[in-house]
DNA sequence: GGATCCTTCTTCTTCTTC
């Protein structure tokens, strides 16, 4: 049975998300090319029924909408300068074909030994890659109008509080902490297996990183068999690339892992916004990149907190990964359309 | 040497009651 879990707005299009997809979908790539067989919702005219679906599926109903909030903000902050929109043609309803998330055609060496140093393929933009867009850029340029609205509102409020310069420093500091945290995680993971990492001798992290590392120490204990770290993945057929944080086993399951720092608690997967799409995009690229001789179906988003409170590990099952992969394909196609209309 | 790239982050209603 299919269960309609929630409704996600993708570039202004309401996409019903389903669970309980057939597991057999992942063993044969042809299944991915015929989603209708598995999801009756994929044939729904989502534009026509979007408001209905939204009102039915929304558990919590707020009297405030982006529209009413915008009117209020305009009153307080002045008129909004709207970004130019590019959608001149008919609204896209989803990708015409679903490219396989897994690459089943190539001979894969699943028996590849997992010991040894993790792979780290550096990003080399010089080798004809300059025109290949990145996962981050694609996600940033295909944010939904709601996402753009809330992000802009947040930014305005922060600037009102901190001033332009204060906000700039605040943002730089968040980025700096994120980078330091990534380096520290990398250092721990390359220092050995969970068993022989010397956890009693706590390494001296920079003060800004100490709390984050404490926050995820219980999660790192379950991460082993690290295969790749900060490694470039490129989907040659779909023409995009990215740098995956980590590929390793979490509680025995091979995952693409993304490490995140956060100021706010993110106890649920839905609190991580586009992060699951990012992870699915990396996994799909890795699965279709000849540099990697194995396939990864699962994902993990690890959220760390500065005050050292227990971090969250959000598991992305292969079923969920496939759902987010489909969402990624929509975003990718939207980006490609944007690009061609600008050319 | 400088410029550019990929990342690093940032959003999710309100204030009604026990």
């Amino acid at each position: 049975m299919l269960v309609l879990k929630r409704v996600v707005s993708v570039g202004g299009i309401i996409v019903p998300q389903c669970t309980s997809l057939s597991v057999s979908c992942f063993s044969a790539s042809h299944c991915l090319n015929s989603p209708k067989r598995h999801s009756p919702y994929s044939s729904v005219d989502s534009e026509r029924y979007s408001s209905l679906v939204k009102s039915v599926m929304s558990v919590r109903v707020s009297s405030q909408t982006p529209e009413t909030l915008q009117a209020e903000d305009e009153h307080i902050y002045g008129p909004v300068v709207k970004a130019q929109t590019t959608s001149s043609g008919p609204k896209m309803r989803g990708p015409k074909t679903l490219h396989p998330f897994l690459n089943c055609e190539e001979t894969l060496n699943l028996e590849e030994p997992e010991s040894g140093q993790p792979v780290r393929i550096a990003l080399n933009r010089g080798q004809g890659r300059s025109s290949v867009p990145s996962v981050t850029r694609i996600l940033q340029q295909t944010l939904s109008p709601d996402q753009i609205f809330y992000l802009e509102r947040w930014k305005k409020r922060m600037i009102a509080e901190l001033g332009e310069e204060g906000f700039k420093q605040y943002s730089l500091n968040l980025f700096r902490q994120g980078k330091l945290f990534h380096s520290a995680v990398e250092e721990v993971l390359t220092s050995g297996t969970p068993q022989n990492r010397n956890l009693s001798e706590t390494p001296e992290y920079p003060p800004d990183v100490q709390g984050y590392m404490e926050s995820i120490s219980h999660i790192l204990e379950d991460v082993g068999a690290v295969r790749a770290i900060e490694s470039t993945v490129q989907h040659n057929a779909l023409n995009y690339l990215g740098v995956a944080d980590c590929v390793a086993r979490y509680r025995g399951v091979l995952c693409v892992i993304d490490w995140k720092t956060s100021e706010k608690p993110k106890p649920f997967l839905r609190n991580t916004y586009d992060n699951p799409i990012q992870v699915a995009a990396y996994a799909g690229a890795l699965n279709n990149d000849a540099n990697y001789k194995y396939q990864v179906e699962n994902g993990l988003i690890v959220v760390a907190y500065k005050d050292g409170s227990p971090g969250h590990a959000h598991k992305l099952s292969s079923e969920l990964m496939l759902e987010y992969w489909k969402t990624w394909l929509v975003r990718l196609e939207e980006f490609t359309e944007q690009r061609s209309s600008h050319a």
Side-chain angles (χ1 to χ4, degrees), chain A residues 99-103 135 233-238 240-241 244 256 276-290 292 294-298 321-322 324-325 328-329:
Chain A
H99 300 272
F101 173 63
L102 295 174
N103 184 354
V135 171
V233 291
Q234 178 162 353
H235 199 305
N236 293 309
L238 295 181
Y240 71 87
L241 59 73
V256 168
I277 307 174
Q278 186 188 8
V279 171
Y282 290 151
L286 184 150
N287 291 337
N288 290 274
D289 184 329
Y292 303 88
Y294 52 89
Q295 303 277 283
V296 185
E297 290 182 51
N298 296 268
M321 286 283 270
L322 183 57
Y324 284 109
W325 170 249
W328 165 248
L329 290 179

Side-chain angles (χ1 to χ4, degrees), chain A residues 17-28:
Chain A
Q17 291 219 317
C18 325
T19 57
S20 309
L21 275 160
S22 163
V23 177
S24 64
C25 244
F26 304 100
S27 56

